[in-house]
Amino acid sequence: SLRGSWRLRSGNGSVSLRAEVPGCVHTALLSQGLIQDPYYRFNDVMYRWISLDNWTYSRTFKTPFDIRKWQKVNLVFEGVDTVAQILLNNVTLGRTDNMFNRYSFDISSVIQEVNYVEVRFLSAVSYAAEQSRCHKAHSIPPACPPPVQKGECHVNFIRKEQCSFSWDWGPSFPTQGIWKDVRIEAYNHYHLIYFSITPLFVKSAQQWCLEVESIFDVVSSKPVAGLVTVNIPKLQTQQTFSVKLQPGEGSIVLLVNINKVKSAALEAWWPNGHGKQTGYNMTTTFMMEAGCQIEKFSKVYFRTVELIQEPIPGSPGLSFYFRINGRPIFIKGSNWIPADSFQDRVTSDKLRLLLKSAADANMNALRVWGGGVYEQDEFYDICDEIGIMIWQDFMFACALYPTNQNFLESVRAEVSHQVRRLKSHPSIILWSGNNENEAAIASNWFSIPYPDIGVYIKDYVTLYVKNIREIVLSEDKSRPFVTSSPTNGLESVKEGWLSRDPYDTHYGDTHFYDYSNDCWNWTMYPKTRFASEYGFQSWPSFSTIEKVSSPEDWSYTSNFSLHRQHHEGGNIQMLQEIGRHFKLPQSPDPVKQFKDMIYLTQVMQAQCIKTETEFYRFSQSEIINGEGHTMGALYWQLNDIWQAPSWASLEYGGKWKLLHYFAQNFFAPLLPVAYEDKGMLHIYGVSDLHEDRKVTLRVTVHTWSSLEPVCTLAKEGVTVKTQSAVPIYKESTCDLLGRCRNCTRESCVITFCLVGEDGLQSPRNHYFLSSLKDAVGLEKTQLSASVSQQDDIYIFVLQTTAIAPFVTLDVGSIKGRFSDNGFLMTEKKKTVVFYPWEPTSVEELESSLILTSLLDVV
């Protein structure tokens, strides 16, 4: 391995330093103390010079083996970011131009006992500009990001993380560096390059089998023969095959039948909330006549996936839902973006924390969005292990792309490498060609004159259909592929891969954003087949912002607050959404006002996305006016790339925003959902459970001015149907309020939950009958909390003297999460558990704790 210490120097040699590999220039400069935290204040703009320079990595290494004994020696880069010339002992081995590709150089004739390796980078920014300049045929929009993003231009001309030139939630840090492993490989006769396992269920035989594919480089001039043994002890399955490898690069595919008896009893891999994620240990041994024996240890998982698009009675169009192991699954989750601008800082611990937080919020899926990176192996390993399904985009987003020969060749290599690397993961359930590029052409985002549109349609089909799709289908027949998101699925295919309206609710998936209407009004949301993107922004908590700002920045209208907001008009849109339902903060103390604003943006975001997600969940079993059967809700977005206002529910560093606590409830396996329509209050029972359950619906009405309920209702013997959403209660709102000692919409609030046998219980949900700024009788409360330790968790006992909406516990920078947060407190006492992610103490928690409820905002 050539991981570890390298030398790094700037273009003219004026800056020279030690640098870690894997790594990048920015993190090397940071760890040597040559720059401040790149995320601090305005440093993203101050440090533009770093990515405009051309940096060189170099090191010497001794060859740890006798060169003469090996037929072939390769220098292998798992990832080079991005445009570089690779030299060994002053001989150019080749060039790289794709961050997502694996590069292997034959150095058999160049390697010596002591070697000097150099990786000479070219600025990604100048390379992209140059590629654009050379593309004479037709322009490829967009040229530059909107000015509010403070980014670089022509990112669509370079195969690099697209958001590294800036995005509407992230900074511009076009990195340079060796971002993945680099090593020397030496071998005789043959060498295994890729190894993958695909489980298939043979319906006719009612039996599982495995397709085991191995891709080799055979260096001997004659074919290499031998035996391959596959062994899965737990399934009493062992098979030996005799194989012959032809010279050159080639693959062998072995079909392993799982023992009939064990096949019937094996445990399949299920998504989070639907069963276990059982994996079986498998050993594959290659014993070839020539050369050494290779042993591969793998975990093999059994699951099937189908994307069902078929006619629905009473509705035009087609369904769009996933069946896992033959069972339709409602997809609950979010969208994943890169966890850092500097990929070498994304450790497997950080990944585990973020992914575990997704699973803890009852999510079963994430979409790896097409403007980031194909994630590292650990990411998918963790998803396999905890049951998070992955919708995997290819890395093309919000742009048109060139289709010249060099570009296509690079993309073809990228796609086949990534599919081979990733296709053994049961967590990946779908390949998707791009993010929003079908929509970009259909809605003509880039104002292309009508006569010219044909050229761009041809480019689109060439890239995503004739190249990407073709490779995916030949490499992986085990999971579905769609060309874009949003798309109309089969209808898009029928219309020549570009539908008239990719946002059509009767087909495929939709993305939906609306910041000008009232987000508490469910009628504004599309009754779509599958909601793969939707969201609202909020600010991260003060403790997160504090680390990258100075006191003069702590106001909602400071230069810093404006600088950090990369979405045009975003800060004002948040104010407007808040203003519909809440009083805006008026504190004379600017810092208090800033903290109040942060709190309200998080309350607003959580309440908006709760309303929208509950709408998608209760639409799963019905068709109304030809629309419905919604079978997926992935809000935008799960995580953050830096400390800034964004659509995320997890802040940079992993802290849960209120939205993430709300998600834990609105994605709960059993949930009652309320909405009003034409003066009627409807409550639905939404269930992801695998059997029908008898439950009691408990409805409680409180006046805002008292902790004693004014009336309660228990409806017993309610059946919530397995994996569906059914109406369980309906009454005119006026009648309900009339029965409850003349409540009015402004003076009362409704809470409700489902309770069943064996401790089955839904979260307690709430329904507001008016805006909280109009609420009558709300009183400022005295909130207090006592903290105690129990083993390695902490117990917070909260007390209130009055009803308190959106009660929030915040322990600043202490890492961890609460069992519940942002809740409506209608009882004198409530117990909340704190799960620490690092050691802490009762004293530390007590001194850091800030309790806030809506009436603390002044």
Side-chain angles (χ1 to χ4, degrees):
S1 171
L2 295 180
R3 293 172 86 99
S5 192
W6 289 53
R7 290 301 301 169
L8 176 61
R9 64 171 190 275
S10 60
N12 64 7
S14 60
V15 184
S16 173
L17 60 149
R18 199 183 76 72
E20 276 299 307
V21 167
C24 71
V25 174
H26 289 81
T27 47
L29 291 168
L30 178 64
S31 69
Q32 292 299 311
L34 296 171
I35 58 169
Q36 283 180 313
D37 177 357
Y39 285 172
Y40 182 69
R41 299 196 76 206
F42 306 93
N43 283 347
D44 55 322
V45 175
M46 302 300 287
Y47 293 157
R48 253 195 94 198
W49 62 272
I50 298 170
S51 55
L52 297 177
D53 204 342
N54 303 321
W55 297 80
T56 296
Y57 278 79
S58 60
R59 71 166 282 175
T60 53
F61 67 92
K62 284 199 177 89
T63 305
F65 49 81
D66 183 346
I67 307 159
R68 291 163 305 192
K69 287 190 176 157
W70 299 95
Q71 286 171 296
K72 192 163 183 185
V73 183
N74 290 334
L75 172 58
V76 181
F77 290 88
E78 287 295 334
V80 180
D81 176 19
T82 293
V83 185
Q85 180 185 4
I86 317 280
L87 298 94
L88 183 65
N89 303 328
N90 296 319
V91 176
T92 298
L93 301 176
R95 293 172 190 277
T96 67
D97 62 5
N98 188 325
M99 175 179 180
F100 309 123
N101 228 329
R102 179 172 176 275
Y103 288 93
S104 181
F105 301 103
D106 185 346
I107 55 168
S108 315
S109 57
V110 188
I111 194 167
Q112 298 162 8
E113 273 172 40
V114 177
N115 301 277
Y116 177 61
V117 61
E118 256 189 319
V119 182
R120 294 182 190 163
F121 283 96
L122 187 62
S123 158
V125 178
S126 36
Y127 172 85
E130 180 57 28
Q131 291 299 304
S132 164
R133 228 183 355 266
C134 296
H135 192 276
K136 298 279 193 282
H138 47 279
S139 69
I140 308 282
C144 298
V148 66
Q149 288 178 205
K150 300 167 249 318
E152 303 292 355
C153 301
H154 306 298
V155 72
N156 45 350
F157 277 93
I158 181 169
R159 290 313 295 144
K160 176 174 170 62
E161 177 185 37
Q162 297 289 280
C163 66
S164 66
F165 278 40
S166 82
W167 215 261
D168 58 5
W169 36 252
S172 173
F173 285 112
T175 44
Q176 292 172 42
I178 301 166
W179 74 292
K180 289 190 176 223
D181 200 26
V182 51
R183 62 180 182 274
I184 304 289
E185 287 175 348
Y187 48 94
N188 292 326
H189 311 297
Y190 75 110
H191 174 66
L192 182 61
I193 314 173
Y194 294 101
F195 178 80
S196 65
I197 313 162
T198 307
L200 304 162
F201 187 69
V202 185
K203 277 201 179 133
S204 54
Q206 286 294 298
Q207 186 182 8
W208 285 96
C209 69
L210 294 175
E211 199 175 86
V212 180
E213 185 179 11
S214 314
I215 297 178
F216 290 97
D217 179 25
V218 177
V219 280
S220 68
S221 50
K222 298 197 291 293
V224 178
L227 299 175
V228 183
T229 301
V230 177
N231 186 15
I232 311 170
K234 264 224 166 122
L235 296 175
Q236 292 170 13
T237 296
Q238 182 166 340
Q239 253 174 283
T240 301
F241 303 83
S242 62
V243 296
K244 197 177 250 183
L245 309 177
Q246 298 304 322
E249 192 175 305
S251 75
I252 52 167
V253 179
L254 309 173
L255 219 54
V256 178
N257 290 313
I258 301 297
N259 173 313
K260 257 287 181 22
V261 181
K262 290 288 173 182
S263 196
L266 72 73
E267 291 186 0
W269 181 93
W270 286 98
N272 182 34
H274 288 279
K276 291 198 227 153
Q277 291 78 44
T278 309
Y280 294 89
N281 291 329
M282 164 169 144
T283 312
T284 310
T285 314
F286 300 88
M287 305 217 330
M288 311 309 271
E289 333 166 316
C292 60
Q293 172 178 329
I294 298 179
E295 227 176 3
K296 273 302 269 190
F297 298 101
S298 340
K299 254 243 196 300
V300 55
Y301 298 90
F302 295 87
R303 71 110 187 82
T304 60
V305 56
E306 304 156 276
L307 172 57
I308 307 299
Q309 302 181 69
E310 56 192 24
I312 300 175
S315 174
L318 299 169
S319 64
F320 191 91
Y321 69 90
F322 290 92
R323 260 205 315 241
I324 306 292
N325 303 326
R327 185 182 279 276
I329 302 280
F330 187 99
I331 304 282
K332 304 183 294 190
S334 187
N335 286 263
W336 172 273
I337 65 162
D340 204 295
S341 291
F342 312 109
Q343 279 291 320
D344 51 293
R345 301 207 293 205
V346 184
T347 59
S348 49
D349 285 353
K350 279 189 187 167
L351 290 175
R352 185 169 288 279
L353 187 71
L354 293 166
L355 292 169
K356 181 87 176 62
S357 291
D360 287 344
N362 288 310
M363 296 184 186
N364 60 26
L366 293 170
R367 170 170 170 249
V368 175
W369 167 77
V373 298
Y374 305 93
E375 278 299 331
Q376 43 189 299
D377 296 341
E378 283 88 346
F379 175 92
Y380 302 96
D381 289 340
I382 296 164
C383 291
D384 293 347
E385 188 190 310
I386 65 177
I388 300 288
M389 296 177 281
I390 296 297
W391 170 316
Q392 178 67 53
D393 280 3
F394 286 94
M395 294 301 129
F396 302 85
C398 300
L400 305 183
Y401 288 85
T403 55
N404 47 308
Q405 212 40 49
N406 288 354
F407 189 85
L408 287 179
E409 265 167 36
S410 183
V411 167
R412 288 180 71 88
E414 159 191 333
V415 171
S416 84
H417 167 59
Q418 295 297 346
V419 174
R420 286 170 180 182
R421 177 175 78 95
L422 298 174
K423 68 180 177 183
S424 299
H425 290 282
S427 50
I428 299 176
I429 59 165
L430 176 76
W431 302 110
S432 172
N434 64 67
N435 173 71
E436 296 184 350
N437 299 347
E438 179 181 342
I441 295 178
S443 315
N444 202 7
W445 292 359
F446 308 121
S447 314
I448 295 161
Y450 187 72
D452 302 345
I453 212 102
V455 179
Y456 295 96
I457 293 176
K458 187 167 176 289
D459 278 357
Y460 180 92
V461 174
T462 298
L463 180 57
Y464 303 110
V465 183
K466 294 187 176 154
N467 283 279
I468 295 175
R469 179 174 179 270
E470 198 173 284
I471 292 171
V472 173
L473 296 186
S474 73
E475 289 283 349
D476 178 20
K477 296 177 181 56
S478 74
R479 46 175 75 76
F481 173 90
V482 292
T483 37
S484 187
S485 176
T487 176
N488 287 345
L490 292 177
E491 179 61 21
S492 286
V493 178
K494 207 165 110 189
E495 293 178 36
W497 303 101
L498 274 143
S499 58
R500 250 181 12 240
D501 174 20
Y503 298 95
D504 188 332
T505 51
H506 302 93
Y507 299 97
D509 63 325
T510 56
H511 295 186
F512 181 80
Y513 296 96
D514 179 342
Y515 312 112
S516 52
N517 286 301
D518 177 7
C519 73
W520 288 21
N521 173 10
W522 62 272
T523 63
M524 71 178 260
Y525 299 119
K527 211 166 178 79
T528 171
R529 305 290 190 222
F530 196 106
S532 49
E533 269 194 33
Y534 59 96
F536 296 89
Q537 282 198 323
S538 72
W539 273 78
S541 44
F542 184 73
S543 61
T544 296
I545 288 290
E546 198 176 12
K547 297 181 181 74
V548 289
S549 56
S550 70
E552 73 221 63
D553 301 328
W554 299 338
S555 110
Y556 197 72
T557 52
S558 67
N559 285 341
F560 171 82
S561 291
L562 215 60
H563 177 80
R564 247 18 204 207
Q565 174 58 270
H566 280 198
H567 165 60
E568 191 64 64
N571 289 351
I572 290 160
Q573 285 165 359
M574 280 185 270
L575 274 180
Q576 286 168 340
E577 278 297 349
I578 292 165
R580 286 177 194 280
H581 298 292
F582 305 102
K583 293 175 178 142
L584 291 172
Q586 304 291 327
S587 172
D589 171 359
V591 177
K592 161 88 169 107
Q593 194 182 359
F594 185 49
K595 289 177 176 172
D596 286 348
M597 274 308 304
I598 289 172
Y599 166 77
L600 281 178
T601 65
Q602 290 206 17
V603 165
M604 181 274 302
Q605 177 195 37
Q607 188 66 27
C608 290
I609 293 184
K610 168 190 190 289
T611 308
E612 187 166 356
T613 307
E614 289 182 348
F615 168 71
Y616 294 138
R617 286 194 77 188
F618 83 64
S619 298
Q620 68 182 277
S621 306
E622 63 186 18
I623 294 289
I624 291 181
N625 301 328
E627 293 181 318
H629 276 218
T630 307
M631 282 298 284
L634 299 172
Y635 66 76
W636 185 268
Q637 72 209 56
L638 179 73
N639 57 319
D640 257 333
I641 198 166
W642 70 334
Q643 308 90 338
S646 82
W647 293 259
S649 63
L650 296 175
E651 302 178 4
Y652 181 78
K655 186 171 177 175
W656 288 28
K657 285 183 180 176
L658 289 190
L659 167 57
H660 209 81
Y661 287 103
F662 274 47
Q664 185 175 229
N665 290 334
F666 64 59
F667 281 146
L670 179 67
L671 183 72
V673 172
Y675 71 95
E676 278 186 284
D677 193 18
K678 305 188 180 70
M680 298 297 285
L681 178 73
H682 299 259
I683 298 180
Y684 275 55
V686 181
S687 168
D688 284 330
L689 306 173
H690 286 198
E691 63 277 331
D692 293 357
R693 295 297 289 261
K694 281 260 187 290
V695 295
T696 299
L697 167 68
R698 295 204 174 134
V699 180
T700 308
V701 180
H702 278 89
T703 59
W704 285 117
S705 56
S706 166
L707 287 163
E708 291 304 317
V710 284
C711 62
T712 57
L713 168 131
K715 185 178 173 187
E716 289 173 10
V718 172
T719 302
V720 284
K721 287 180 77 74
T722 166
Q723 293 189 281
S724 51
V726 291
I728 53 176
Y729 179 78
K730 178 174 155 185
E731 184 177 5
S732 108
T733 313
C734 287
D735 292 357
L736 176 64
L737 294 176
R739 277 191 302 128
C740 297
R741 284 193 250 153
N742 292 326
C743 263
T744 65
R745 296 187 75 94
E746 290 72 30
S747 67
C748 290
V749 61
I750 303 175
T751 60
F752 45 97
C753 69
L754 300 171
V755 184
E757 268 123 50
D758 317 322
L760 179 69
Q761 192 163 359
S762 77
R764 205 173 59 146
N765 208 340
H766 61 257
Y767 184 73
F768 298 131
L769 294 160
S770 75
S771 292
L772 269 65
K773 64 180 179 185
D774 304 324
V776 173
L778 262 181
E779 295 157 21
K780 195 164 166 48
T781 171
Q782 293 299 303
L783 282 173
S784 61
S786 64
V787 189
S788 59
Q789 187 171 0
Q790 195 181 316
D791 303 328
D792 46 9
I793 59 171
Y794 294 86
I795 310 292
F796 286 67
V797 178
L798 265 66
Q799 303 209 14
T800 181
T801 54
I803 287 195
F806 303 110
V807 173
T808 301
L809 301 91
D810 188 341
V811 288
S813 293
I814 298 173
K815 286 192 178 327
R817 70 162 182 99
F818 292 95
S819 55
D820 193 4
N821 218 340
F823 42 83
L824 173 64
M825 199 161 165
T826 55
E827 275 147 355
K828 286 196 182 80
K829 252 189 177 167
K830 182 174 166 91
T831 303
V832 177
V833 179
F834 181 73
Y835 301 100
W837 295 334
E838 59 184 19
T840 181
S841 66
V842 168
E843 297 71 44
E844 212 182 0
L845 288 165
E846 279 176 341
S847 63
S848 303
L849 177 67
I850 296 169
L851 285 173
T852 311
S853 80
L854 189 61
L855 288 173
D856 294 314
V857 172
V858 289

